[in-house]
Amino acid sequence: MRLALVGLPGSGKSTVGRQLARRLNLPFTDSDQAIEQRIGCSIRDYFESHGESAFREIEETVIRELAGAGPGVLASGGGAVLRPANRERLRESAHVIYLRSTPEEVFRRLRHDGKRPLLQVEDPLARLRSLYEERDPLYRETAHFTIETGRPSVSTLVNMILMQLELAGVIPARP
Ligand code: S3P
């Protein structure tokens, strides 16, 4: 079984994905980490030196490889859904879960984050609002399940995901 998480940067894909994988006893992979291993530097540095479109090329290759790999939980980068090929690949190869957060919620979490190149701008909240406008329909199109992240703790979110997967018959019901 393969699960993938999509959503805005800071929606909790890696944190939730890691715990979800632990609960299901599956390996966890983070596409951003796989990309950083390949490029040998941080994504932020790579954006600065090579630009966003070079990054998107590598991202597509990495998503293709990871989508074709064995069972596990994959946390994808927030912009992975921008390319139709990635959306199709994720949707066909995995049960895709959209962690849906509002731009305001993400802003609260990422205020002090220096790692995400797209948010190193004067008005990150405005940037997040426009990313949300553009991407919310793409995340929905890619995902089989949507979870509103809101206030719950990580373990509550993981339980909500497990419940949806059980109800849909993706995983067996727990006793
Ligand atoms: C990006 C999100 C990042 C990373 C890159 C671009 C985006 O991943 O892939 O900085 O376009 O939203 P996270 O969603 O894990 O922050």
Side-chain angles (χ1 to χ4, degrees):
M1 175 197 33
R2 204 173 282 118
L3 299 172
L5 294 158
V6 299
L8 281 179
S11 57
K13 299 177 297 280
S14 302
T15 316
V16 170
R18 199 169 282 116
Q19 271 210 31
L20 184 63
R22 201 174 299 139
R23 291 280 294 276
L24 293 169
N25 223 350
L26 287 169
F28 170 74
T29 317
D30 185 314
S31 68
D32 285 342
Q33 260 179 20
I35 292 169
E36 286 188 337
Q37 270 172 13
R38 184 157 308 195
I39 60 187
C41 66
S42 72
I43 290 178
R44 186 178 172 177
D45 288 346
Y46 194 83
F47 254 70
E48 263 166 33
S49 51
H50 295 77
E52 179 171 348
S53 63
F55 168 78
R56 298 291 174 208
E57 279 303 316
I58 298 176
E59 184 175 50
E60 185 175 336
T61 307
V62 167
I63 297 272
R64 186 184 331 120
E65 288 171 9
L66 295 177
V73 176
L74 169 69
S76 62
V81 297
L82 292 172
R83 291 200 166 186
N86 292 341
R87 297 203 291 277
E88 275 160 36
R89 237 166 235 140
L90 288 170
R91 199 175 159 85
E92 279 164 14
S93 62
H95 301 281
V96 183
I97 301 146
Y98 171 21
L99 290 186
R100 185 156 183 262
S101 305
T102 62
E104 292 74 18
E105 197 184 322
V106 169
F107 177 69
R108 247 180 278 125
R109 286 199 212 121
L110 294 186
R111 253 173 324 181
H112 306 297
D113 179 282
K115 275 193 320 205
R116 289 165 165 99
L118 290 177
L119 302 183
Q120 309 312 308
V121 293
E122 207 172 299
D123 188 348
L125 179 57
R127 186 64 179 271
L128 281 167
R129 286 187 174 134
S130 74
L131 289 179
Y132 179 84
E133 286 290 304
E134 180 190 12
R135 294 179 181 177
D136 180 62
L138 304 179
Y139 294 136
R140 286 166 180 274
E141 179 191 316
T142 312
H144 303 93
F145 304 94
T146 298
I147 296 277
E148 306 284 339
T149 59
R151 296 260 165 222
S153 64
V154 172
S155 59
T156 305
L157 286 173
V158 170
N159 282 328
M160 286 161 68
I161 294 172
L162 290 171
M163 218 180 319
Q164 285 215 22
L165 295 174
E166 278 181 25
L167 283 172
V170 174
I171 56 172
R174 287 161 299 168

